Amino acid sequence: MSSKNYELSDDEEEHYIFVEFDDSVKLEKYRNIHVIGIDTKNPLIQLDNTFFSGTYENPLGTHIFFEDDPLAQTSDPLFDKLPERSLKYMAKSRKTVKAEHVYIKMKEGTESEAQIKQDKTDHEIPAVAFTSVAEAVERFKKDWMASHPELFNKTK
Protein backbone atom coordinates (compact mmCIF):
# COMPACT_ATOMS: atom_id res chain seq x y z
CA MET A 1 0.00 0.00 0.00
CA SER A 2 1.50 3.29 -1.00
CA SER A 3 2.02 5.86 1.74
CA LYS A 4 0.43 8.39 -0.62
CA ASN A 5 -2.98 6.88 0.08
CA TYR A 6 -2.51 5.99 3.74
CA GLU A 7 -0.69 7.83 6.51
CA LEU A 8 1.25 5.61 8.91
CA SER A 9 1.02 6.29 12.61
CA ASP A 10 4.17 6.58 14.72
CA ASP A 11 3.99 2.95 15.82
CA GLU A 12 3.52 1.49 12.32
CA GLU A 13 6.14 0.52 9.78
CA GLU A 14 5.72 -0.27 6.10
CA HIS A 15 7.53 -3.30 4.65
CA TYR A 16 7.38 -4.74 1.17
CA ILE A 17 7.42 -8.50 0.72
CA PHE A 18 7.54 -10.30 -2.62
CA VAL A 19 4.89 -13.06 -2.78
CA GLU A 20 5.40 -15.76 -5.40
CA PHE A 21 2.30 -17.65 -6.60
CA ASP A 22 1.97 -20.45 -9.18
CA ASP A 23 1.89 -19.32 -12.81
CA SER A 24 -1.83 -20.15 -12.91
CA VAL A 25 -2.74 -17.45 -10.36
CA LYS A 26 -3.84 -14.22 -12.04
CA LEU A 27 -4.16 -11.52 -9.35
CA GLU A 28 -6.16 -9.26 -11.67
CA LYS A 29 -9.22 -11.52 -11.42
CA TYR A 30 -9.44 -11.28 -7.62
CA ARG A 31 -11.28 -8.46 -5.85
CA ASN A 32 -10.22 -9.03 -2.23
CA ILE A 33 -6.80 -9.91 -0.88
CA HIS A 34 -6.29 -10.65 2.83
CA VAL A 35 -3.06 -11.64 4.55
CA ILE A 36 -3.19 -13.22 7.98
CA GLY A 37 -0.10 -13.72 10.11
CA ILE A 38 2.46 -12.06 7.85
CA ASP A 39 4.80 -11.98 10.86
CA THR A 40 4.46 -15.74 11.45
CA LYS A 41 6.42 -18.64 9.96
CA ASN A 42 3.54 -19.57 7.62
CA PRO A 43 1.32 -16.63 6.65
CA LEU A 44 -2.12 -17.37 5.20
CA ILE A 45 -3.16 -15.47 2.07
CA GLN A 46 -6.79 -15.30 0.97
CA LEU A 47 -7.69 -14.21 -2.57
CA ASP A 48 -11.51 -14.00 -2.56
CA ASN A 49 -12.44 -17.60 -1.59
CA THR A 50 -9.08 -19.14 -2.52
CA PHE A 51 -6.50 -19.78 0.20
CA PHE A 52 -2.72 -20.05 0.06
CA SER A 53 -0.22 -21.04 2.71
CA GLY A 54 3.08 -19.21 2.56
CA THR A 55 6.61 -20.08 3.55
CA TYR A 56 9.51 -17.65 3.70
CA GLU A 57 12.42 -18.29 1.34
CA ASN A 58 15.74 -16.57 0.82
CA PRO A 59 15.89 -14.94 -2.62
CA LEU A 60 19.02 -15.08 -4.75
CA GLY A 61 19.01 -11.31 -5.00
CA THR A 62 16.97 -8.28 -4.06
CA HIS A 63 13.41 -7.69 -5.22
CA ILE A 64 12.94 -4.15 -6.49
CA PHE A 65 9.46 -2.59 -6.63
CA PHE A 66 8.49 0.10 -9.13
CA GLU A 67 5.37 2.19 -9.66
CA ASP A 68 4.03 4.10 -12.64
CA ASP A 69 5.50 7.58 -13.04
CA PRO A 70 2.79 9.81 -14.52
CA LEU A 71 5.07 12.87 -14.31
CA ALA A 72 7.95 11.41 -16.32
CA GLN A 73 9.78 14.03 -18.35
CA THR A 74 12.91 14.36 -20.38
CA SER A 75 15.61 17.01 -20.27
CA ASP A 76 15.78 17.19 -24.08
CA PRO A 77 12.38 16.55 -25.72
CA LEU A 78 13.90 16.83 -29.20
CA PHE A 79 16.38 13.94 -28.90
CA ASP A 80 15.15 11.96 -25.89
CA LYS A 81 12.02 9.90 -26.46
CA LEU A 82 9.99 8.82 -23.43
CA PRO A 83 8.90 5.19 -23.36
CA GLU A 84 5.18 4.34 -23.49
CA ARG A 85 5.26 3.51 -19.78
CA SER A 86 7.59 5.21 -17.32
CA LEU A 87 8.36 3.70 -13.93
CA LYS A 88 10.03 5.02 -10.83
CA TYR A 89 11.70 3.21 -7.95
CA MET A 90 9.42 2.59 -4.98
CA ALA A 91 11.09 0.10 -2.61
CA LYS A 92 13.27 -2.99 -2.30
CA SER A 93 12.98 -6.18 -0.29
CA ARG A 94 14.98 -9.26 0.56
CA LYS A 95 11.89 -11.08 1.82
CA THR A 96 10.09 -13.66 -0.32
CA VAL A 97 6.99 -15.67 0.51
CA LYS A 98 6.32 -18.76 -1.64
CA ALA A 99 2.53 -19.26 -1.65
CA GLU A 100 1.02 -22.70 -2.26
CA HIS A 101 -2.67 -23.34 -2.84
CA VAL A 102 -4.41 -25.00 0.11
CA TYR A 103 -7.94 -26.29 0.53
CA ILE A 104 -9.95 -25.35 3.59
CA LYS A 105 -12.59 -27.78 4.82
CA MET A 106 -14.88 -27.64 7.80
CA LYS A 107 -13.81 -29.65 10.82
CA GLU A 108 -15.82 -32.72 11.68
CA GLY A 109 -18.31 -32.16 14.45
CA THR A 110 -18.74 -28.47 13.71
CA GLU A 111 -21.95 -26.76 12.81
CA SER A 112 -23.14 -26.84 9.25
CA GLU A 113 -22.77 -23.80 7.01
CA ALA A 114 -26.54 -23.25 7.03
CA GLN A 115 -26.55 -23.12 10.84
CA ILE A 116 -23.66 -20.63 10.85
CA LYS A 117 -25.51 -18.38 8.41
CA GLN A 118 -28.64 -18.61 10.57
CA ASP A 119 -26.67 -17.64 13.68
CA LYS A 120 -25.24 -14.60 11.90
CA THR A 121 -28.69 -13.33 10.98
CA ASP A 122 -30.01 -13.93 14.52
CA HIS A 123 -27.31 -11.71 16.05
CA GLU A 124 -27.27 -8.81 13.65
CA ILE A 125 -26.91 -5.43 15.28
CA PRO A 126 -29.56 -2.94 14.18
CA ALA A 127 -28.32 0.17 12.38
CA VAL A 128 -28.40 3.43 14.33
CA ALA A 129 -28.37 6.88 12.77
CA PHE A 130 -26.71 9.86 14.43
CA THR A 131 -26.80 13.49 13.40
CA SER A 132 -23.30 14.22 14.73
CA VAL A 133 -20.22 12.56 16.13
CA ALA A 134 -20.86 14.21 19.51
CA GLU A 135 -24.31 12.59 19.64
CA ALA A 136 -22.78 9.19 18.84
CA VAL A 137 -20.15 9.57 21.56
CA GLU A 138 -22.73 10.61 24.15
CA ARG A 139 -24.96 7.66 23.22
CA PHE A 140 -22.01 5.28 23.52
CA LYS A 141 -21.08 6.69 26.96
CA LYS A 142 -24.66 6.39 28.19
CA ASP A 143 -25.06 2.80 26.93
CA TRP A 144 -21.64 1.73 28.23
CA MET A 145 -22.22 3.23 31.66
CA ALA A 146 -25.62 1.51 31.83
CA SER A 147 -24.07 -1.86 30.94
CA HIS A 148 -21.24 -1.47 33.52
CA PRO A 149 -22.96 -0.04 36.66
CA GLU A 150 -20.45 -1.68 39.00
CA LEU A 151 -17.79 0.74 37.80
CA PHE A 152 -19.84 3.85 38.54
CA ASN A 153 -21.88 2.97 41.65
CA LYS A 154 -19.01 2.75 44.15
CA THR A 155 -19.75 3.79 47.70
CA LYS A 156 -16.98 4.83 50.06
Side-chain angles (χ1 to χ4, degrees), residues 49-63:
N49 291 327
T50 306
F51 292 87
F52 297 87
S53 177
T55 54
Y56 282 94
E57 293 183 355
N58 293 323
L60 294 175
T62 302
H63 296 290

Side-chain angles (χ1 to χ4, degrees), residues 34-74:
H34 298 280
V35 180
I36 301 167
I38 194 67
D39 57 344
T40 63
K41 184 178 175 183
N42 297 101
L44 185 65
I45 302 164
Q46 180 183 0
L47 305 176
D48 290 341
N49 291 327
T50 306
F51 292 87
F52 297 87
S53 177
T55 54
Y56 282 94
E57 293 183 355
N58 293 323
L60 294 175
T62 302
H63 296 290
I64 301 175
F65 298 93
F66 295 92
E67 63 185 346
D68 286 323
D69 187 4
L71 304 174
Q73 50 186 327
T74 179

Side-chain angles (χ1 to χ4, degrees), residues 103-116:
Y103 297 93
I104 307 294
K105 62 180 182 178
M106 191 172 285
K107 289 183 179 180
E108 291 181 18
T110 60
E111 300 177 30
S112 69
E113 190 172 320
Q115 180 62 37
I116 293 170

Side-chain angles (χ1 to χ4, degrees), residues 15-16 29 32 44-45 48 51 67 69 71 74 81 86-87 89 117:
H15 294 276
Y16 289 88
K29 76 176 192 173
N32 297 307
L44 185 65
I45 302 164
D48 290 341
F51 292 87
E67 63 185 346
D69 187 4
L71 304 174
T74 179
K81 183 178 178 186
S86 293
L87 302 174
Y89 172 81
K117 286 181 182 177

